[in-house]
Amino acid sequence: MRLIRLTVIVTALVAAFGDSPAAQETWTLEKCVAEALRNSHTLAVSRETVTGAAAGARASQAVRWPMLGVSGAYSYTSETQQLNIALPIPGLQMPSVKFGDGNIYDLAVTARAPLFAGGTVLERGRADAAARRSTEHGYAFDSLTALHEIRRAYFETLGAEACAAAARQAVTRINRHVEEIAQAITVGWQSEENRLAATAALRQMESAMIQADLAAQTARLQMGVRVGRPGDEIAPHGDLEFDLMDEKTLEQQEIETRAEMMSLFERIEQSRHLMRATRGSFLPSLAASASYHYGKPGVDIVQNEWMDYYVIGVSASWTLWDWNARRYQVQQTRASVHALEARQDDLKSIIITRRQMARDALSGARAARDKTSERVSLEKRRLEMVEGRWRQGMATESELLDAQDDLARAEMELAAASASVRIAEVDLLYASGY
């Protein structure tokens, strides 16, 4: 018994104070946006891409400067050269000269610097710098896309909750009517048939309310995923009655300055620099080097002593024939440039079309919302009139239930239409680069 009581107590405490896996929180749009951008896996990948591109650009710049290195070597040769000089005087012989003892030691510090490479190194550095700028613009576009997605999810959730609230309001209204009929039956003013009809209408609206609540719950869970809180219900804190944008601001946005256009432009620049770098490989390359050596035997093999010395030199190389490999690379890069330019023109057309479609969609959504709002007002007046006639016995129960059902549907449609206006504004902001 003690174990059972303890289990009951622990279960009650967990239910009262424990964290539910689907805990519901209320967040503002600003907080949703901040958390969504901070926890976005797509943006995390994009940030790492920018970091990698920046490192690549710095590496390309670094190879243009002299490089310094150290080296050490030891080798042993079992046989060494000897020089024996024969004299023309009989009986006399010069001592033999031995070139080292077979042990060779060498420690060196070497500096190398490219002098000329036909512009290949310079153009590759510029190509990597353009790639870095492209990834930065790509990160800006990914941020804009993430912002659009969280804004859309926010107002979709607000719309779903508004529809659920309208359904609950309708259920409350019909439930009051059912209670009114039940009271009227006690005095013989209404029949059991009317009560059954009203109860059936109530059950129908309750079913619609359950579906609307489920849709709102699903939207809140999706919000939780967007802001990096999977399993939690994030409820938006706000309403659907405010505008998101300034029409004058939207008119000032230029297509060429959009992030995706700038990213593609930098990709084109990168390909052009790579094409020039490949062309530069047709020219000879020139490099200089300077080394400080300390070793044995050094340059005086006969003395075979430790010594230090310097070596300064210039080297040149020129590829005369490679079976047209570099020429094909130039053609390949030129084709990439043309493809990217065609894609840029296509993207510009898509942006223009998308923005115009978003403007038209917003105008249509606002017109539909206004019409639906007017319909709600008309349905409310109609319901009041039908209720007045019903209380006077001049309207049937079916007429009253139809009027209530029409008002409920109009209110739910108004909530959806208001959400559609906000979503259309979000889409227009995205299409305009905001």
Side-chain angles (χ1 to χ4, degrees), residues 119-141:
T120 299
V121 177
L122 179 63
E123 291 297 332
R124 288 191 181 277
R126 291 173 178 174
D128 289 337
R132 174 185 58 80
R133 293 192 298 270
S134 178
T135 57
E136 290 174 349
H137 292 300
Y139 174 72
F141 179 67

Side-chain angles (χ1 to χ4, degrees), residues 10 20 35 52 64 77 87 91 135 149-150 174 176 187 201 221 223 249 302 306 341 351 361 370-371 375 379 412 429:
V10 171
S20 172
E35 290 298 314
R64 297 171 54 188
T77 305
L87 295 176
T135 57
E149 291 175 352
I150 188 60
I174 298 177
R176 284 199 305 265
V187 297
L221 288 172
M223 280 282 293
T249 303
V302 176
W306 286 92
E341 288 174 344
I351 292 174
D370 294 340
K371 295 297 183 182
R375 178 189 166 194
E379 293 293 351
M412 295 178 68
L429 286 171

Side-chain angles (χ1 to χ4, degrees), residues 294-315:
Y294 181 71
K296 179 183 178 182
V299 296
D300 192 344
I301 302 178
V302 176
Q303 292 295 327
N304 195 26
E305 297 292 340
W306 286 92
M307 65 179 300
D308 60 342
Y309 58 95
Y310 300 92
V311 177
I312 299 176
V314 177
S315 62

Side-chain angles (χ1 to χ4, degrees), residues 290-368:
S291 301
Y292 169 77
H293 292 264
Y294 181 71
K296 179 183 178 182
V299 296
D300 192 344
I301 302 178
V302 176
Q303 292 295 327
N304 195 26
E305 297 292 340
W306 286 92
M307 65 179 300
D308 60 342
Y309 58 95
Y310 300 92
V311 177
I312 299 176
V314 177
S315 62
S317 63
W318 193 0
T319 302
L320 299 178
W321 181 252
D322 61 353
W323 302 97
N324 291 327
R326 290 167 295 170
R327 192 177 305 277
Y328 294 142
Q329 290 177 358
V330 171
Q331 293 177 1
Q332 181 185 20
T333 310
R334 184 186 297 114
S336 299
V337 171
H338 293 163
L340 289 172
E341 288 174 344
R343 184 180 174 188
Q344 187 180 41
D345 295 336
D346 186 50
L347 179 59
K348 184 181 296 185
S349 300
I350 291 174
I351 292 174
I352 294 174
T353 304
R354 183 185 299 164
R355 186 164 62 181
Q356 186 58 46
M357 291 175 61
R359 289 185 182 278
D360 295 340
L362 178 57
S363 299
R366 286 174 174 173

Side-chain angles (χ1 to χ4, degrees), residues 168-181:
R168 287 193 294 271
Q169 183 178 1
V171 167
T172 302
R173 185 166 54 242
I174 298 177
N175 189 53
R176 284 199 305 265
H177 177 62
V178 171
E179 293 176 355
E180 187 177 0
I181 292 178

Side-chain angles (χ1 to χ4, degrees), residues 117-425:
T120 299
V121 177
L122 179 63
E123 291 297 332
R124 288 191 181 277
R126 291 173 178 174
D128 289 337
R132 174 185 58 80
R133 293 192 298 270
S134 178
T135 57
E136 290 174 349
H137 292 300
Y139 174 72
F141 179 67
D142 290 339
S143 300
L144 179 64
T145 302
L147 177 62
H148 171 249
E149 291 175 352
I150 188 60
R151 282 173 172 172
R152 226 177 187 277
Y154 181 87
F155 289 106
E156 285 175 351
T157 307
L158 267 181
E161 291 192 335
C163 287
R168 287 193 294 271
Q169 183 178 1
V171 167
T172 302
R173 185 166 54 242
I174 298 177
N175 189 53
R176 284 199 305 265
H177 177 62
V178 171
E179 293 176 355
E180 187 177 0
I181 292 178
Q183 295 175 0
I185 290 176
T186 58
V187 297
W189 181 54
Q190 290 291 327
S191 65
E192 180 65 18
E193 181 181 353
N194 289 344
R195 188 186 70 81
L196 293 176
T199 304
L202 176 63
R203 297 295 178 263
Q204 181 182 5
M205 188 52 63
E206 287 173 343
S207 176
M209 181 188 69
I210 292 173
Q211 294 177 359
D213 285 337
L214 180 59
Q217 182 184 21
T218 302
R220 290 192 296 268
L221 288 172
Q222 290 293 334
M223 280 282 293
V225 174
R226 297 278 185 191
V227 301
R229 297 278 296 273
D232 290 347
E233 295 183 30
I234 303 300
H237 176 72
D239 56 55
L240 298 170
E241 300 303 323
F242 64 93
D243 291 333
L244 291 174
M245 61 188 185
D246 183 359
E247 293 285 351
K248 294 182 180 180
T249 303
L250 296 180
E251 291 294 338
Q252 297 173 359
Q253 181 75 9
E254 296 292 337
I255 294 178
E256 287 75 11
T257 61
R258 285 182 60 104
E260 63 268 42
M261 289 291 293
M262 293 298 297
S263 178
L264 193 55
F265 172 78
E266 293 296 344
R267 287 298 178 189
I268 294 174
E269 288 298 305
Q270 177 191 11
S271 297
R272 287 173 176 167
H273 288 303
L274 288 176
M275 184 170 61
R276 297 189 189 104
T278 306
R279 286 175 177 171
S281 64
F282 286 99
L283 300 175
S285 61
L286 190 65
S289 63
S291 301
Y292 169 77
H293 292 264
Y294 181 71
K296 179 183 178 182
V299 296
D300 192 344
I301 302 178
V302 176
Q303 292 295 327
N304 195 26
E305 297 292 340
W306 286 92
M307 65 179 300
D308 60 342
Y309 58 95
Y310 300 92
V311 177
I312 299 176
V314 177
S315 62
S317 63
W318 193 0
T319 302
L320 299 178
W321 181 252
D322 61 353
W323 302 97
N324 291 327
R326 290 167 295 170
R327 192 177 305 277
Y328 294 142
Q329 290 177 358
V330 171
Q331 293 177 1
Q332 181 185 20
T333 310
R334 184 186 297 114
S336 299
V337 171
H338 293 163
L340 289 172
E341 288 174 344
R343 184 180 174 188
Q344 187 180 41
D345 295 336
D346 186 50
L347 179 59
K348 184 181 296 185
S349 300
I350 291 174
I351 292 174
I352 294 174
T353 304
R354 183 185 299 164
R355 186 164 62 181
Q356 186 58 46
M357 291 175 61
R359 289 185 182 278
D360 295 340
L362 178 57
S363 299
R366 286 174 174 173
R369 179 198 57 187
D370 294 340
K371 295 297 183 182
T372 307
S373 178
E374 183 180 355
R375 178 189 166 194
V376 169
S377 300
L378 295 174
E379 293 293 351
K380 286 181 178 180
R381 290 176 56 191
R382 175 178 166 234
L383 178 58
E384 292 175 357
M385 295 172 65
V386 174
E387 283 181 342
R389 291 194 297 112
W390 179 80
R391 289 189 177 88
Q392 296 175 3
M394 299 176 62
T396 64
E397 181 66 25
S398 178
E399 289 178 318
L400 179 58
L401 293 178
D402 288 343
Q404 291 177 337
D405 183 65
D406 290 341
L407 176 58
R409 293 183 183 281
E411 290 174 339
M412 295 178 68
E413 290 177 6
L414 177 59
S418 299
S420 296
V421 171
R422 300 285 86 84
I423 292 172
E425 290 177 348

